[in-house]
Amino acid sequence: MKASLAVMMLLLTGTVAQAADLYRVEVMMFAYLDEQSAQKEHWQETLETEEEQIIPDAEVEDLPEDDGYAGESLPVDDMTEETPEPELPYQPLEDLEFADAATRFAYRNDIAIIWHQAWVEEIQDADNAILHDVDTVLEGELKVQVSGSIRLHRSRYIHITPDLSVQQYVLGFPLDETDIPEETSETEITEPAAPQDHPFAAFRMEPELIQETEVTELELAPEEPVWMPLRAAHIDRSRRMRSDEVHYLDHPLLGMVVKVTPYEAPPEEETSEDSAAPEADLN
């Protein structure tokens, strides 16, 4: 009897472990735009990027020999053929539960919604977690760019792991050293000296004044402002969550509100033939 119960428990446990439940996920990200709060901490201007890997010549394989198609145009049919778009591993949703909160945030100057989406997915284990790409830009007094991904996985609890890069820009005038004119020697701008008894000798400008006037005009030339890096941060942390609860992930540059709810697919609507059948029986 005990052996049969143990076998039954193992079967039930295995069934639960293999089952992938559907969940409705909603994520709303908002950028913090309060300059005074951001200045309280020290930030990098930009995030470090990985250097391009240089492959030694000895590891580069030889290119394949010419197959006869070099320089020839491809057939028209091959060029116009469209490849089907791959199916998404999740189902996007249009209805947003946080829509009212997003509307209220629109009246604030220190917060702005930058990414807001909802979807249905089968949350997998950590090794098979689905990546959701994030690439969005918000422009105002500051320009905020968020790129990276978020993923959810399930073990004993549901976990969400954002892997996001946040970059803030500010409008400014960059200093370009190439725009600063080199010092010109006196011999390059000095004209041949005129005799002292020349009638216009008193009206000639000294070479030093000519040089100073030219530099001032170049320095005061108008320029268009450009977006310059202000501060940046990388967000890579995991948060344990419970379903049916609103969770808040906070960072000085980016906030995130997340809610995960068990999802049941709505029943399929009855076809016209099925709905007309009872009426026929009544007649």
Side-chain angles (χ1 to χ4, degrees):
M1 184 67 176
K2 292 182 179 180
S4 60
L5 288 175
V7 172
M8 185 178 297
M9 290 297 296
L10 288 174
L11 293 175
L12 290 174
T13 304
T15 303
V16 173
Q18 295 176 1
D21 296 331
L22 287 174
Y23 286 89
R24 183 191 185 277
V25 183
E26 185 167 352
V27 178
M28 181 174 65
M29 302 181 191
F30 46 90
Y32 288 116
L33 306 177
D34 186 4
E35 190 65 18
Q36 294 182 354
S37 299
Q39 290 178 355
K40 295 179 181 179
E41 300 189 29
H42 177 71
W43 304 95
Q44 295 176 269
E45 288 188 0
T46 58
L47 296 177
E48 298 179 358
T49 57
E50 297 181 0
E51 297 181 358
E52 296 183 1
Q53 184 179 5
I54 301 177
I55 303 175
D57 295 339
E59 299 181 6
V60 178
E61 299 180 357
D62 295 335
L63 295 175
E65 297 181 358
D66 186 8
D67 54 5
Y69 288 96
E72 297 182 6
S73 59
L74 295 175
V76 178
D77 295 340
D78 296 340
M79 297 178 64
T80 57
E81 184 178 357
E82 296 182 358
T83 56
E85 295 182 359
E87 295 184 0
L88 295 175
Y90 56 91
Q91 176 188 349
L93 299 176
E94 296 182 358
D95 296 334
L96 301 175
E97 184 177 340
F98 300 151
D100 293 339
T103 302
R104 291 194 296 270
F105 283 158
Y107 295 97
R108 300 186 56 172
N109 297 326
D110 58 339
I111 291 178
I113 304 298
I114 194 170
W115 197 83
H116 190 186
Q117 292 188 13
W119 64 88
V120 174
E121 74 167 278
E122 295 182 357
I123 298 181
Q124 310 290 334
D125 55 23
D127 295 333
N128 300 300
I130 300 172
L131 287 180
H132 299 267
D133 294 331
V134 178
D135 189 5
T136 181
V137 176
L138 172 71
E139 286 193 17
E141 294 183 2
L142 291 178
K143 178 180 178 180
V144 183
Q145 181 177 10
V146 179
S147 59
S149 64
I150 57 176
R151 64 184 185 273
L152 295 100
H153 74 272
R154 183 180 180 186
S155 53
R156 183 178 179 183
Y157 295 92
I158 297 174
H159 296 258
I160 182 170
T161 305
D163 184 6
L164 301 170
S165 297
V166 184
Q167 177 71 62
Q168 290 187 353
Y169 301 87
V170 64
L171 282 174
F173 297 90
L175 178 61
D176 190 354
E177 296 181 356
T178 59
D179 293 339
I180 301 177
E182 298 180 357
E183 294 183 0
T184 308
S185 61
E186 184 178 349
T187 56
E188 293 179 355
I189 61 173
T190 303
E191 298 178 1
Q196 295 296 328
D197 56 352
H198 193 278
F200 298 101
F203 297 94
R204 297 180 64 248
M205 296 179 63
E206 294 297 329
E208 292 78 4
L209 296 178
I210 297 175
Q211 181 180 351
E212 182 179 355
T213 303
E214 292 177 353
V215 173
T216 304
E217 291 178 355
L218 289 173
E219 290 178 350
L220 297 180
E223 296 181 358
E224 291 293 333
V226 297
W227 289 110
M228 301 176 59
L230 178 63
R231 60 180 66 93
H234 183 217
I235 304 174
D236 186 5
R237 62 181 66 174
S238 181
R239 174 70 177 269
R240 186 180 68 181
M241 301 186 301
R242 294 179 181 273
S243 60
D244 287 325
E245 294 182 0
V246 177
H247 294 266
Y248 176 57
L249 287 73
D250 191 24
H251 185 273
L253 300 184
L254 187 73
M256 185 183 306
V257 179
V258 185
K259 185 176 182 181
V260 178
T261 309
Y263 179 80
E264 295 183 3
E268 297 182 358
E269 296 182 358
E270 296 181 354
T271 60
S272 57
E273 296 180 357
D274 296 338
S275 59
E279 297 180 0
D281 295 340
L282 293 175
N283 295 331

